[in-house]
Amino acid sequence: MSTGTDVLAATDWNRTFHAYGPGTDVPGHLALLLSDDPADRSRALDHLYSAVIHQGTVYSATVPAARYVAGVLADPRLDAPVGAASLRAHLLGFLRDAAEGVAGHLCEPAPPAPDAAERDRVHAALASDDEDEALGIWEDEVLHALMYHEAAVALRDAAPELYAAVRPHLTHHDGTTRIRAVEAAGALALLGGPAPDLSGAADMAETREEGAVIVLVMGETGGDTTEFLTHSDPAIRACAALAPGQRGNPAALAELLAAAGGPEVPDAWFAQRPAYFPGSVRAALLREAARRCGPGDAERMLPVFRALAPAAPALRAGADLGPMLEAAFPAGAPARPDRVQREYLRVLADSALPWTGAHATGFAALLERLGLPGDRDAVRALAAAGADGARPGVPAGAPTGGGRAVREPAGREPGFGAG
């Protein structure tokens, strides 16, 4: 399999495509990566991230583009800066994103491989001057089958070769380049490449960011991160606790909870946030803690529920909130909720989650599965039903028995700090 500049001539680009149609324009942009003109290099990089990978989606043109990038990584012209990082660091990030972009597809059942006639039809439609035909083909299941076989499978098959090109940069003299190389090596390992040897990168690590990325990738690729759970740096401890191999370790869960609620706000940990965290670091810690919630953890996880529920996206409600609600309501909705259950219900009722409409489907299914009411007011009433002296359907604090207001004793459970 060819890499580097050989890819430009060896690939039939007419038989590739990207987000905007045929991949025939890709070789011209790839060649500009080695241009002496900074504007050319920026345009080439923009094309990689707007067409060759588009919003995380990988296409058949992505695979030869990745092989080209792998073949030129050692070129000294890639030392040139593009923004705050070298062009080489950006291209290592491209390889990481390409690998991550196909990982989800490979978990799906493989569709039948299209035959030659079906492939011809798809490529003809993509190149058509008829806009309706060129756009309509994106709904065709044959095109999606091509994306599976010619993007996901092909990139997985190339992973060992791509890793071989990334490996020397694990010990590059530039710290940002080392970080991007570690992330790329980890993503390629998960795709089918060899487990990365991070010992050299660990020896050269100079910053919290480098240490965090190394521990994160070590955990993602099956390494044992237990020794880092007692590290002096809370960011390193939390990254160690995030490892899938730590999901049965109570000490790791305790570390996640401590980090998310500690005095140092996790979102301020990194000047250069690891790619593992596409959004808020604190939210990632809370979500992982929620996934580890088990029977008997309801009270312990209540601060996590308080933190996640108010802003939980509707599409993530099941994943983010489900484990905690299952722990809080193992037998469905009780006639008289206990103190912890009442608090879960109050937080749920006050959340911004949609209770009706198209976006409420997953959330409604979660409530139905747990035997909880599917209406905000009904949830509030159920919370009131367990309050001291309250009757089902009568809010706590409402006049009862002679008009005397019965109120729940004021009290606070330990919560997370701001952040």
Side-chain angles (χ1 to χ4, degrees), residues 13-359:
W13 295 98
N14 289 296
R15 306 294 289 181
T16 69
F17 60 92
H18 54 55
Y20 300 109
T24 50
D25 59 344
V26 174
H29 285 95
L30 290 175
L32 291 179
L33 289 171
L34 299 181
S35 170
D36 293 330
D37 186 341
D40 285 344
R41 297 193 295 267
S42 292
R43 281 198 301 273
L45 195 60
D46 288 344
H47 184 73
L48 287 179
Y49 273 103
S50 62
V52 180
I53 294 180
H54 182 74
Q55 297 180 351
T57 301
V58 173
Y59 308 89
S60 60
T62 311
V63 181
R67 293 191 348 249
Y68 174 85
V69 166
V72 301
L73 277 178
D75 193 301
R77 286 173 287 185
L78 298 188
D79 291 332
V82 177
S86 71
L87 181 55
R88 180 179 293 105
H90 285 293
L91 293 178
L92 286 163
F94 169 79
L95 293 178
R96 174 202 67 216
D97 292 342
E100 291 180 349
V102 303
H105 289 293
L106 292 171
C107 297
E108 302 168 358
D115 60 28
E118 291 174 319
R119 293 169 190 257
D120 289 344
R121 179 176 62 82
V122 167
H123 287 294
L126 287 167
S128 175
D129 292 331
D130 184 329
E131 185 175 352
D132 289 340
E133 183 180 13
L135 291 176
I137 194 63
W138 288 97
E139 304 299 323
D140 196 302
E141 62 182 18
V142 175
L143 182 141
H144 293 284
L146 281 179
M147 291 176 69
Y148 183 92
H149 291 283
E150 296 186 358
V153 173
L155 197 64
R156 180 191 64 193
D157 292 345
E161 181 182 19
L162 300 178
Y163 171 75
V166 169
R167 183 177 56 203
H169 304 286
L170 295 172
T171 54
H172 195 274
H173 62 82
D174 173 64
T176 299
T177 299
R178 291 196 299 272
I179 287 175
R180 296 291 172 257
V182 169
E183 291 175 336
L188 290 166
L190 293 175
L191 195 60
D197 178 2
L198 303 178
S199 57
D203 290 341
M204 297 181 70
E206 299 172 338
T207 64
R208 166 184 273 184
E209 286 78 6
E210 277 196 80
V213 166
I214 289 168
V215 172
L216 286 167
V217 170
M218 180 185 299
E220 284 188 296
T221 56
D224 184 2
T225 61
T226 302
E227 65 177 299
F228 297 102
L229 291 174
T230 55
H231 196 278
S232 60
D233 186 335
I236 301 299
R237 294 198 302 271
C239 289
L242 286 167
Q246 297 293 341
R247 283 181 178 154
N249 185 352
L253 175 58
E255 190 56 49
L256 291 174
L257 296 175
E264 186 176 0
V265 180
D267 288 333
W269 276 347
F270 305 112
Q272 183 181 11
R273 192 169 58 203
Y276 180 95
F277 303 107
S280 165
V281 176
R282 181 172 182 262
L285 300 178
L286 290 170
R287 288 190 178 112
E288 181 58 31
R291 291 188 192 101
R292 300 182 187 187
C293 179
D297 285 338
E299 184 164 12
R300 183 183 192 186
M301 300 301 288
L302 183 52
V304 178
F305 193 79
R306 285 198 190 105
L308 281 180
L315 294 177
R316 291 192 57 96
D320 288 357
L321 307 181
M324 293 176 285
L325 287 172
E326 288 172 353
F329 300 95
R336 294 181 62 80
D338 62 27
R339 174 183 59 84
V340 173
Q341 289 174 327
R342 291 199 305 275
E343 187 61 23
Y344 271 92
L345 292 168
R346 290 185 187 118
V347 173
L348 189 62
D350 291 340
S351 74
L353 287 164
W355 294 73
T356 59
H359 293 294

